Amino acid sequence: MYCCFYIVWNYDYLTSAIIFGFSLHDQLVALGAIALLLEATRRAVGMPIVVIAVLALLYGVYGSWSWLGTFAHPGFTWTGMATQLFFYD
């Protein structure tokens, strides 16, 4: 619940953090929120959709590996991807 209200309580700060960069606390909140969302998805829908979501997250982070061929991309960091997914629209 803290992760959801964190955006409301710190909206003014977060709108400037998008430009100037997120703090460690922001990154940890985003990672925790994604972990909680995966757990809620497991309970509501089941394990197969969680496996697909985790594979998508792994592809986002490790997309630069050469075995992906045409689907390779530079990749993201865990915290960069978490803040992108949680704090942006």
Side-chain angles (χ1 to χ4, degrees):
M1 194 155 202
Y2 174 75
C3 295
C4 295
F5 284 113
Y6 183 76
I7 294 175
V8 176
W9 290 327
N10 298 311
Y11 182 76
D12 291 332
Y13 163 74
L14 290 173
T15 54
S16 64
I18 290 173
I19 297 170
F20 299 113
F22 293 101
S23 68
L24 178 63
H25 187 258
D26 299 335
Q27 295 170 358
L28 292 176
V29 167
L31 286 171
I34 290 175
L36 289 173
L37 182 62
L38 287 173
E39 175 60 18
T41 303
R42 184 191 65 81
R43 289 181 183 212
V45 181
M47 198 60 177
I49 194 73
V50 173
V51 170
I52 293 170
V54 167
L55 288 175
L57 290 172
L58 289 174
Y59 172 69
V61 173
Y62 300 111
S64 61
W65 286 12
S66 62
W67 58 270
L68 293 172
T70 19
F71 298 110
H73 61 86
F76 298 100
T77 62
W78 283 106
T79 56
M81 188 171 55
T83 54
Q84 177 77 23
L85 289 173
F86 187 65
F87 291 121
Y88 289 87
D89 290 339

Coordinates of all heavy atoms in Angstrom, one line a residue:
M1 N 0.8 -1.2 0.0 CA 0.0 0.0 0.0 C 0.9 1.3 0.0 O 0.5 2.3 -0.6 CB -0.9 0.0 1.2 CG -2.0 0.9 1.2 SD -3.3 0.3 2.2 CE -4.7 1.1 1.5
Y2 N 2.0 1.2 0.7 CA 2.9 2.3 0.7 C 3.4 2.7 -0.7 O 3.5 3.8 -1.1 CB 4.1 1.9 1.6 CG 5.2 3.0 1.5 CD1 5.0 4.2 2.2 CD2 6.4 2.8 0.8 CE1 6.0 5.2 2.2 CE2 7.4 3.8 0.8 CZ 7.2 4.9 1.4 OH 8.2 5.9 1.4
C3 N 3.6 1.6 -1.6 CA 4.1 1.9 -2.9 C 3.1 2.7 -3.7 O 3.4 3.6 -4.5 CB 4.4 0.6 -3.6 SG 5.7 -0.3 -2.9
C4 N 1.8 2.5 -3.5 CA 0.8 3.2 -4.2 C 0.6 4.6 -3.7 O 0.5 5.6 -4.5 CB -0.6 2.5 -4.1 SG -0.6 0.9 -4.9
F5 N 0.7 4.8 -2.4 CA 0.5 6.2 -1.9 C 1.8 7.0 -2.0 O 1.8 8.2 -1.9 CB 0.1 6.1 -0.4 CG -1.4 5.8 -0.3 CD1 -1.8 4.6 0.3 CD2 -2.3 6.7 -0.7 CE1 -3.1 4.3 0.5 CE2 -3.7 6.4 -0.6 CZ -4.0 5.2 0.0
Y6 N 2.9 6.3 -2.3 CA 4.2 7.0 -2.4 C 4.1 8.0 -3.6 O 4.6 9.1 -3.5 CB 5.3 6.0 -2.7 CG 6.7 6.7 -2.8 CD1 7.3 7.1 -1.7 CD2 7.3 6.8 -4.0 CE1 8.6 7.7 -1.7 CE2 8.5 7.4 -4.1 CZ 9.2 7.9 -3.0 OH 10.4 8.5 -3.1
I7 N 3.4 7.6 -4.7 CA 3.3 8.5 -5.8 C 2.4 9.7 -5.5 O 2.7 10.8 -5.9 CB 2.7 7.7 -7.0 CG1 3.6 6.6 -7.5 CG2 2.3 8.7 -8.2 CD1 3.1 5.8 -8.6
V8 N 1.3 9.5 -4.7 CA 0.4 10.6 -4.4 C 1.1 11.5 -3.4 O 1.0 12.8 -3.6 CB -0.9 10.0 -3.7 CG1 -1.8 11.1 -3.2 CG2 -1.6 9.1 -4.7
W9 N 1.8 11.0 -2.4 CA 2.5 11.9 -1.4 C 3.6 12.7 -2.0 O 3.9 13.8 -1.6 CB 3.0 11.1 -0.3 CG 1.9 10.5 0.6 CD1 0.7 11.0 0.9 CD2 2.0 9.3 1.3 NE1 0.0 10.2 1.7 CE2 0.8 9.1 2.0 CE3 2.9 8.3 1.4 CZ2 0.5 8.0 2.8 CZ3 2.7 7.2 2.2 CH2 1.4 7.0 2.8
N10 N 4.3 12.1 -3.0 CA 5.5 12.7 -3.5 C 5.4 13.1 -5.0 O 6.3 13.1 -5.7 CB 6.7 11.8 -3.4 CG 7.0 11.5 -1.9 OD1 7.1 12.4 -1.1 ND2 7.1 10.2 -1.6
Y11 N 4.2 13.5 -5.4 CA 3.9 13.8 -6.8 C 4.8 14.9 -7.3 O 5.4 14.8 -8.4 CB 2.4 14.1 -7.0 CG 2.1 14.3 -8.5 CD1 2.1 13.3 -9.4 CD2 2.0 15.6 -9.0 CE1 1.8 13.5 -10.7 CE2 1.7 15.9 -10.3 CZ 1.6 14.8 -11.2 OH 1.4 15.0 -12.5
D12 N 4.9 16.0 -6.6 CA 5.7 17.2 -7.0 C 7.1 16.8 -7.1 O 7.8 17.2 -8.1 CB 5.5 18.4 -6.1 CG 4.1 18.9 -6.1 OD1 3.5 18.8 -7.2 OD2 3.7 19.5 -5.1
Y13 N 7.6 16.1 -6.2 CA 9.0 15.6 -6.2 C 9.3 14.7 -7.4 O 10.3 14.8 -8.2 CB 9.4 14.9 -4.9 CG 10.7 14.1 -5.1 CD1 11.9 14.8 -5.2 CD2 10.7 12.8 -5.2 CE1 13.1 14.0 -5.3 CE2 11.8 12.0 -5.3 CZ 13.0 12.6 -5.4 OH 14.1 11.9 -5.6
L14 N 8.4 13.8 -7.7 CA 8.5 12.8 -8.7 C 8.5 13.4 -10.1 O 9.1 12.9 -11.0 CB 7.5 11.7 -8.6 CG 7.7 10.7 -7.4 CD1 6.6 9.8 -7.3 CD2 9.0 10.0 -7.5
T15 N 7.7 14.5 -10.3 CA 7.6 15.1 -11.6 C 8.9 15.8 -11.9 O 9.3 15.8 -13.1 CB 6.5 16.2 -11.6 OG1 6.6 17.1 -10.6 CG2 5.1 15.5 -11.6
S16 N 9.7 16.2 -10.9 CA 11.0 16.8 -11.2 C 12.1 15.7 -11.2 O 13.1 15.8 -11.9 CB 11.4 17.8 -10.2 OG 11.5 17.3 -8.9
A17 N 11.8 14.6 -10.5 CA 12.8 13.5 -10.5 C 12.8 12.8 -11.9 O 13.8 12.2 -12.3 CB 12.4 12.4 -9.5
I18 N 11.7 12.9 -12.7 CA 11.7 12.3 -14.0 C 12.8 13.0 -14.8 O 13.5 12.4 -15.7 CB 10.3 12.4 -14.6 CG1 9.4 11.4 -13.9 CG2 10.4 12.1 -16.1 CD1 7.9 11.6 -14.3
I19 N 13.0 14.3 -14.6 CA 14.0 15.0 -15.4 C 15.4 14.9 -14.8 O 16.3 14.7 -15.5 CB 13.6 16.5 -15.4 CG1 12.2 16.7 -16.1 CG2 14.7 17.4 -16.1 CD1 11.6 18.1 -16.0
F20 N 15.5 15.0 -13.5 CA 16.8 15.0 -12.8 C 17.3 13.6 -12.3 O 18.4 13.5 -11.9 CB 16.8 16.0 -11.6 CG 16.5 17.4 -12.1 CD1 15.3 18.0 -11.7 CD2 17.3 18.1 -12.9 CE1 15.0 19.3 -12.1 CE2 17.0 19.4 -13.3 CZ 15.9 20.0 -12.9
G21 N 16.5 12.6 -12.4 CA 16.9 11.3 -12.0 C 16.2 10.9 -10.6 O 15.9 11.7 -9.8
F22 N 16.0 9.6 -10.5 CA 15.4 9.1 -9.3 C 16.4 8.7 -8.2 O 17.5 8.3 -8.5 CB 14.6 7.8 -9.7 CG 13.4 8.1 -10.6 CD1 13.5 7.8 -11.9 CD2 12.2 8.6 -10.1 CE1 12.4 8.1 -12.8 CE2 11.2 8.8 -10.9 CZ 11.3 8.6 -12.2
S23 N 16.0 8.9 -7.0 CA 16.8 8.5 -5.8 C 16.8 7.0 -5.6 O 16.0 6.3 -6.2 CB 16.4 9.3 -4.6 OG 15.1 8.8 -4.2
L24 N 17.7 6.6 -4.7 CA 17.7 5.1 -4.4 C 16.4 4.7 -3.8 O 15.9 3.6 -4.1 CB 18.9 4.9 -3.4 CG 19.0 3.4 -3.0 CD1 19.3 2.5 -4.1 CD2 20.1 3.3 -1.9
H25 N 15.8 5.5 -3.0 CA 14.5 5.2 -2.3 C 13.4 5.0 -3.4 O 12.6 4.1 -3.3 CB 14.1 6.3 -1.3 CG 12.9 5.9 -0.5 ND1 11.7 6.5 -0.8 CD2 12.7 5.1 0.5 CE1 10.8 6.0 0.0 NE2 11.4 5.1 0.8
D26 N 13.4 5.9 -4.4 CA 12.4 5.8 -5.5 C 12.6 4.5 -6.2 O 11.6 3.8 -6.6 CB 12.6 6.9 -6.5 CG 12.4 8.3 -5.9 OD1 11.6 8.4 -4.9 OD2 12.9 9.3 -6.4
Q27 N 13.8 4.1 -6.5 CA 14.1 2.9 -7.2 C 13.7 1.7 -6.4 O 13.1 0.7 -6.9 CB 15.6 2.8 -7.5 CG 16.0 3.9 -8.5 CD 17.5 4.0 -8.7 OE1 18.3 3.2 -8.0 NE2 18.0 4.8 -9.5
L28 N 13.9 1.7 -5.1 CA 13.5 0.6 -4.2 C 12.0 0.5 -4.2 O 11.4 -0.7 -4.1 CB 14.1 0.7 -2.8 CG 15.6 0.5 -2.8 CD1 16.1 0.8 -1.3 CD2 16.0 -0.8 -3.2
V29 N 11.3 1.6 -4.1 CA 9.8 1.6 -4.1 C 9.3 1.0 -5.4 O 8.4 0.1 -5.4 CB 9.3 3.0 -3.9 CG1 7.8 3.0 -4.2 CG2 9.5 3.4 -2.5
A30 N 9.9 1.3 -6.5 CA 9.5 0.8 -7.8 C 9.8 -0.7 -7.9 O 8.9 -1.5 -8.4 CB 10.2 1.5 -8.9
L31 N 10.9 -1.2 -7.5 CA 11.2 -2.6 -7.5 C 10.2 -3.4 -6.6 O 9.8 -4.4 -6.9 CB 12.7 -2.9 -7.0 CG 13.7 -2.5 -8.1 CD1 15.1 -2.6 -7.4 CD2 13.6 -3.4 -9.3
G32 N 10.0 -2.8 -5.4 CA 9.0 -3.5 -4.5 C 7.6 -3.5 -5.1 O 6.9 -4.5 -4.9
A33 N 7.2 -2.4 -5.7 CA 5.9 -2.4 -6.3 C 5.7 -3.5 -7.4 O 4.7 -4.1 -7.5 CB 5.6 -1.0 -6.9
I34 N 6.8 -3.6 -8.2 CA 6.7 -4.6 -9.3 C 6.7 -6.0 -8.7 O 5.9 -6.9 -9.2 CB 7.9 -4.4 -10.3 CG1 7.6 -3.1 -11.0 CG2 8.0 -5.6 -11.2 CD1 8.8 -2.7 -12.0
A35 N 7.4 -6.3 -7.6 CA 7.4 -7.6 -7.0 C 6.0 -7.8 -6.4 O 5.5 -9.0 -6.5 CB 8.5 -7.6 -5.9
L36 N 5.4 -6.8 -5.8 CA 4.1 -7.0 -5.2 C 3.0 -7.2 -6.3 O 2.1 -8.0 -6.2 CB 3.7 -5.8 -4.4 CG 4.4 -5.6 -3.1 CD1 4.0 -4.3 -2.4 CD2 4.0 -6.8 -2.1
L37 N 3.2 -6.6 -7.4 CA 2.3 -6.7 -8.6 C 2.4 -8.1 -9.1 O 1.4 -8.8 -9.5 CB 2.6 -5.7 -9.6 CG 1.7 -5.7 -10.9 CD1 0.3 -5.5 -10.5 CD2 2.2 -4.8 -11.9
L38 N 3.6 -8.7 -9.2 CA 3.8 -10.1 -9.7 C 3.1 -11.1 -8.7 O 2.5 -12.0 -9.1 CB 5.3 -10.4 -9.8 CG 6.0 -9.7 -11.1 CD1 7.4 -10.0 -11.0 CD2 5.4 -10.2 -12.3
E39 N 3.3 -10.8 -7.4 CA 2.6 -11.7 -6.4 C 1.1 -11.6 -6.5 O 0.4 -12.6 -6.5 CB 3.1 -11.4 -5.0 CG 2.4 -12.1 -3.9 CD 2.5 -13.6 -4.0 OE1 3.4 -14.1 -4.7 OE2 1.7 -14.3 -3.4
A40 N 0.5 -10.4 -6.7 CA -0.9 -10.3 -6.8 C -1.4 -10.9 -8.1 O -2.5 -11.5 -8.1 CB -1.3 -8.8 -6.8
T41 N -0.6 -10.8 -9.2 CA -1.0 -11.5 -10.4 C -1.0 -13.0 -10.3 O -1.8 -13.7 -10.8 CB 0.0 -11.1 -11.5 OG1 0.0 -9.7 -11.7 CG2 -0.4 -11.7 -12.9
R42 N 0.0 -13.5 -9.5 CA 0.1 -15.0 -9.3 C -1.2 -15.5 -8.5 O -1.8 -16.5 -8.8 CB 1.3 -15.4 -8.5 CG 1.5 -16.9 -8.3 CD 2.6 -17.2 -7.3 NE 2.3 -16.7 -6.0 CZ 1.5 -17.3 -5.1 NH1 0.9 -18.5 -5.4 NH2 1.3 -16.9 -3.9
R43 N -1.6 -14.7 -7.5 CA -2.7 -15.1 -6.8 C -4.0 -15.0 -7.5 O -4.9 -15.8 -7.4 CB -2.8 -14.3 -5.5 CG -1.7 -14.6 -4.5 CD -1.9 -13.8 -3.3 NE -0.8 -14.1 -2.3 CZ -0.9 -14.0 -1.0 NH1 -2.0 -13.7 -0.5 NH2 0.1 -14.3 -0.3
A44 N -4.1 -13.9 -8.4 CA -5.4 -13.7 -9.1 C -5.5 -14.5 -10.3 O -6.6 -15.0 -10.6 CB -5.5 -12.2 -9.4
V45 N -4.5 -14.7 -11.1 CA -4.6 -15.3 -12.4 C -3.9 -16.7 -12.4 O -4.4 -17.6 -13.0 CB -4.0 -14.4 -13.5 CG1 -4.1 -15.0 -14.9 CG2 -4.6 -13.0 -13.5
G46 N -2.8 -16.8 -11.8 CA -2.0 -18.0 -11.8 C -0.6 -17.8 -12.2 O -0.2 -16.8 -12.7
M47 N 0.1 -18.9 -12.1 CA 1.6 -18.9 -12.4 C 2.0 -18.7 -13.8 O 3.0 -18.0 -14.1 CB 2.2 -20.2 -11.8 CG 3.7 -20.1 -11.6 SD 4.0 -18.7 -10.4 CE 5.7 -18.9 -10.3
P48 N 1.3 -19.2 -14.8 CA 1.7 -19.0 -16.2 C 1.9 -17.6 -16.6 O 2.9 -17.2 -17.3 CB 0.6 -19.7 -17.0 CG 0.0 -20.7 -16.1 CD 0.1 -20.1 -14.8
I49 N 1.0 -16.7 -16.2 CA 1.1 -15.3 -16.6 C 2.3 -14.6 -15.9 O 2.9 -13.7 -16.5 CB -0.2 -14.5 -16.4 CG1 -0.2 -13.1 -17.2 CG2 -0.5 -14.3 -15.0 CD1 -0.3 -13.3 -18.6
V50 N 2.6 -15.1 -14.7 CA 3.7 -14.5 -14.0 C 5.0 -14.9 -14.7 O 6.0 -14.2 -14.8 CB 3.7 -15.0 -12.5 CG1 5.0 -14.6 -11.8 CG2 2.5 -14.4 -11.8
V51 N 5.1 -16.2 -15.1 CA 6.3 -16.7 -15.8 C 6.5 -15.8 -17.1 O 7.6 -15.4 -17.4 CB 6.1 -18.2 -16.2 CG1 7.2 -18.6 -17.1 CG2 6.1 -19.0 -14.9
I52 N 5.4 -15.5 -17.8 CA 5.5 -14.7 -19.0 C 6.0 -13.3 -18.7 O 6.9 -12.7 -19.4 CB 4.2 -14.7 -19.8 CG1 3.9 -16.0 -20.3 CG2 4.2 -13.6 -20.9 CD1 2.4 -16.2 -20.9
A53 N 5.5 -12.7 -17.6 CA 5.9 -11.4 -17.2 C 7.4 -11.4 -16.8 O 8.1 -10.4 -17.1 CB 5.0 -10.9 -16.1
V54 N 7.8 -12.4 -16.0 CA 9.2 -12.5 -15.6 C 10.1 -12.6 -16.8 O 11.2 -12.0 -16.9 CB 9.4 -13.6 -14.6 CG1 10.9 -13.9 -14.3 CG2 8.7 -13.2 -13.3
L55 N 9.7 -13.4 -17.8 CA 10.5 -13.6 -19.0 C 10.6 -12.2 -19.8 O 11.6 -11.9 -20.3 CB 9.9 -14.6 -19.9 CG 10.1 -16.1 -19.4 CD1 9.3 -17.0 -20.4 CD2 11.5 -16.5 -19.4
A56 N 9.5 -11.5 -19.8 CA 9.5 -10.1 -20.4 C 10.5 -9.2 -19.7 O 11.2 -8.4 -20.3 CB 8.1 -9.6 -20.5
L57 N 10.5 -9.3 -18.3 CA 11.4 -8.4 -17.5 C 12.8 -8.9 -17.8 O 13.7 -8.0 -17.9 CB 11.1 -8.5 -16.1 CG 9.8 -7.9 -15.6 CD1 9.5 -8.2 -14.1 CD2 9.8 -6.4 -15.8
L58 N 13.1 -10.2 -17.9 CA 14.4 -10.7 -18.1 C 14.9 -10.2 -19.5 O 16.1 -9.9 -19.7 CB 14.5 -12.2 -18.0 CG 14.4 -12.7 -16.6 CD1 14.3 -14.2 -16.5 CD2 15.6 -12.2 -15.7
Y59 N 14.0 -10.3 -20.5 CA 14.3 -9.8 -21.8 C 14.7 -8.3 -21.8 O 15.6 -7.9 -22.5 CB 13.2 -10.1 -22.8 CG 13.4 -9.5 -24.2 CD1 14.4 -10.0 -25.0 CD2 12.6 -8.4 -24.6 CE1 14.6 -9.4 -26.3 CE2 12.8 -7.8 -25.8 CZ 13.8 -8.3 -26.7 OH 14.0 -7.8 -27.9
G60 N 14.0 -7.5 -21.0 CA 14.3 -6.1 -21.0 C 15.7 -5.8 -20.4 O 16.3 -4.9 -20.8
V61 N 16.1 -6.7 -19.4 CA 17.4 -6.5 -18.8 C 18.5 -7.1 -19.6 O 19.6 -6.5 -19.8 CB 17.4 -7.0 -17.4 CG1 18.7 -6.9 -16.7 CG2 16.4 -6.2 -16.5
Y62 N 18.3 -8.3 -20.0 CA 19.4 -9.1 -20.7 C 19.2 -9.1 -22.2 O 19.6 -10.1 -22.9 CB 19.5 -10.5 -20.1 CG 19.8 -10.5 -18.7 CD1 18.8 -10.9 -17.8 CD2 21.0 -10.1 -18.2 CE1 19.1 -10.9 -16.4 CE2 21.3 -10.1 -16.8 CZ 20.3 -10.5 -16.0 OH 20.6 -10.5 -14.6
G63 N 18.6 -8.1 -22.8 CA 18.3 -8.1 -24.3 C 19.6 -7.9 -25.1 O 19.5 -8.1 -26.3
S64 N 20.7 -7.6 -24.5 CA 21.9 -7.4 -25.3 C 22.7 -8.6 -25.6 O 23.7 -8.6 -26.2 CB 22.8 -6.4 -24.5 OG 23.2 -6.9 -23.3
W65 N 22.2 -9.8 -25.1 CA 22.9 -11.0 -25.3 C 22.9 -11.4 -26.8 O 21.9 -11.2 -27.5 CB 22.3 -12.1 -24.5 CG 22.7 -12.0 -23.1 CD1 23.3 -11.0 -22.4 CD2 22.5 -13.0 -22.1 NE1 23.4 -11.3 -21.1 CE2 23.0 -12.5 -20.9 CE3 22.0 -14.3 -22.1 CZ2 22.9 -13.2 -19.7 CZ3 21.9 -15.0 -20.9 CH2 22.4 -14.5 -19.7
S66 N 24.0 -11.9 -27.3 CA 24.1 -12.2 -28.7 C 23.2 -13.3 -29.2 O 22.9 -13.3 -30.4 CB 25.6 -12.5 -29.0 OG 25.9 -13.7 -28.4
W67 N 22.7 -14.2 -28.4 CA 21.9 -15.3 -28.9 C 20.5 -14.8 -29.3 O 19.7 -15.6 -29.8 CB 21.8 -16.4 -27.8 CG 21.3 -16.0 -26.5 CD1 22.0 -15.5 -25.4 CD2 19.9 -15.9 -26.1 NE1 21.2 -15.2 -24.4 CE2 19.9 -15.5 -24.7 CE3 18.7 -16.3 -26.7 CZ2 18.7 -15.3 -24.0 CZ3 17.5 -16.1 -25.9 CH2 17.5 -15.7 -24.6
L68 N 20.2 -13.6 -29.0 CA 18.8 -13.1 -29.4 C 18.8 -12.6 -30.9 O 17.7 -12.4 -31.4 CB 18.4 -11.9 -28.5 CG 18.1 -12.3 -27.1 CD1 17.9 -11.1 -26.2 CD2 16.9 -13.2 -27.0
G69 N 19.9 -12.5 -31.5 CA 20.0 -12.1 -32.9 C 19.3 -10.8 -33.2 O 19.7 -9.8 -32.8
T70 N 18.3 -10.9 -34.1 CA 17.6 -9.7 -34.5 C 16.8 -9.0 -33.4 O 16.5 -7.8 -33.5 CB 16.6 -10.0 -35.6 OG1 16.3 -11.4 -35.6 CG2 17.1 -9.5 -37.0
F71 N 16.5 -9.7 -32.4 CA 15.7 -9.1 -31.3 C 16.6 -8.5 -30.2 O 16.1 -8.1 -29.2 CB 14.8 -10.2 -30.7 CG 13.8 -10.7 -31.6 CD1 13.9 -12.0 -32.1 CD2 12.8 -9.9 -32.1 CE1 13.0 -12.5 -33.0 CE2 11.8 -10.4 -33.0 CZ 11.9 -11.7 -33.5
A72 N 17.9 -8.5 -30.4 CA 18.8 -7.9 -29.4 C 18.7 -6.4 -29.3 O 18.3 -5.8 -30.3 CB 20.3 -8.3 -29.8
H73 N 18.9 -5.9 -28.2 CA 18.8 -4.4 -27.9 C 19.8 -4.1 -26.8 O 20.3 -5.0 -26.1 CB 17.4 -4.0 -27.6 CG 16.8 -4.6 -26.3 ND1 17.0 -4.1 -25.1 CD2 16.1 -5.7 -26.2 CE1 16.4 -4.8 -24.2 NE2 15.8 -5.8 -24.8
P74 N 20.1 -2.8 -26.6 CA 21.1 -2.5 -25.6 C 20.8 -3.0 -24.1 O 21.7 -3.2 -23.3 CB 21.2 -1.0 -25.6 CG 20.6 -0.6 -26.9 CD 19.6 -1.7 -27.3
G75 N 19.5 -3.1 -23.8 CA 19.2 -3.6 -22.5 C 19.0 -2.4 -21.5 O 19.4 -1.3 -21.8
F76 N 18.4 -2.7 -20.4 CA 18.1 -1.7 -19.3 C 18.8 -2.3 -18.0 O 19.1 -3.4 -17.9 CB 16.6 -1.5 -19.1 CG 15.9 -1.0 -20.2 CD1 15.2 -1.9 -21.1 CD2 15.9 0.3 -20.6 CE1 14.5 -1.4 -22.1 CE2 15.2 0.8 -21.6 CZ 14.5 0.0 -22.4
T77 N 18.9 -1.4 -17.1 CA 19.3 -1.8 -15.7 C 18.0 -2.2 -15.0 O 16.9 -1.8 -15.4 CB 20.0 -0.7 -14.9 OG1 19.1 0.4 -14.8 CG2 21.3 -0.3 -15.6
W78 N 18.1 -3.0 -13.9 CA 16.9 -3.4 -13.2 C 16.2 -2.1 -12.6 O 15.0 -2.0 -12.7 CB 17.3 -4.3 -12.0 CG 17.6 -5.7 -12.4 CD1 18.8 -6.3 -12.5 CD2 16.6 -6.7 -12.9 NE1 18.6 -7.6 -13.0 CE2 17.3 -7.8 -13.2 CE3 15.2 -6.7 -13.0 CZ2 16.7 -9.0 -13.7 CZ3 14.6 -7.8 -13.4 CH2 15.3 -8.9 -13.8
T79 N 17.0 -1.2 -12.0 CA 16.3 -0.1 -11.4 C 15.8 0.9 -12.5 O 14.8 1.5 -12.3 CB 17.3 0.7 -10.5 OG1 18.5 1.0 -11.3 CG2 17.7 -0.2 -9.3
G80 N 16.5 1.0 -13.6 CA 16.0 1.9 -14.7 C 14.7 1.4 -15.3 O 13.8 2.1 -15.5
M81 N 14.6 0.0 -15.4 CA 13.4 -0.5 -16.0 C 12.3 -0.4 -15.0 O 11.1 -0.2 -15.3 CB 13.6 -2.0 -16.4 CG 12.5 -2.6 -17.1 SD 12.8 -4.2 -17.8 CE 13.3 -5.1 -16.4
A82 N 12.6 -0.7 -13.7 CA 11.5 -0.6 -12.6 C 10.9 0.8 -12.5 O 9.7 1.0 -12.5 CB 12.1 -1.0 -11.3
T83 N 11.8 1.8 -12.5 CA 11.3 3.2 -12.4 C 10.5 3.6 -13.7 O 9.5 4.3 -13.6 CB 12.4 4.2 -12.2 OG1 13.4 4.1 -13.2 CG2 13.0 4.0 -10.8
Q84 N 11.0 3.1 -14.9 CA 10.2 3.4 -16.1 C 8.9 2.7 -16.1 O 7.9 3.4 -16.5 CB 11.1 2.8 -17.3 CG 10.4 3.0 -18.6 CD 10.5 4.4 -19.2 OE1 11.4 5.1 -18.8 NE2 9.6 4.7 -20.0
L85 N 8.8 1.5 -15.6 CA 7.5 0.8 -15.6 C 6.5 1.4 -14.5 O 5.3 1.4 -14.7 CB 7.7 -0.7 -15.3 CG 8.3 -1.4 -16.5 CD1 8.6 -2.9 -16.0 CD2 7.4 -1.5 -17.7
F86 N 7.1 1.8 -13.4 CA 6.2 2.1 -12.2 C 5.8 3.6 -12.2 O 4.7 4.0 -11.9 CB 6.9 1.8 -10.9 CG 6.0 2.0 -9.7 CD1 4.8 1.2 -9.6 CD2 6.3 2.9 -8.8 CE1 4.0 1.4 -8.5 CE2 5.5 3.1 -7.7 CZ 4.3 2.3 -7.5
F87 N 6.8 4.5 -12.5 CA 6.5 5.9 -12.3 C 6.0 6.6 -13.6 O 5.5 7.7 -13.5 CB 7.8 6.7 -11.8 CG 8.1 6.3 -10.4 CD1 9.3 5.8 -10.1 CD2 7.2 6.5 -9.4 CE1 9.7 5.4 -8.8 CE2 7.5 6.2 -8.1 CZ 8.7 5.7 -7.8
Y88 N 6.2 6.0 -14.8 CA 5.8 6.7 -16.0 C 4.4 6.2 -16.3 O 3.9 5.1 -15.9 CB 6.7 6.4 -17.1 CG 8.0 7.1 -17.0 CD1 9.1 6.5 -16.3 CD2 8.2 8.3 -17.6 CE1 10.3 7.2 -16.2 CE2 9.5 9.0 -17.5 CZ 10.5 8.4 -16.8 OH 11.7 9.1 -16.6
D89 N 3.7 6.9 -17.2 CA 2.3 6.5 -17.6 C 2.3 5.2 -18.3 O 3.1 4.8 -19.1 CB 1.7 7.5 -18.5 CG 1.3 8.8 -17.6 OD1 1.2 8.6 -16.4 OD2 1.2 9.8 -18.2

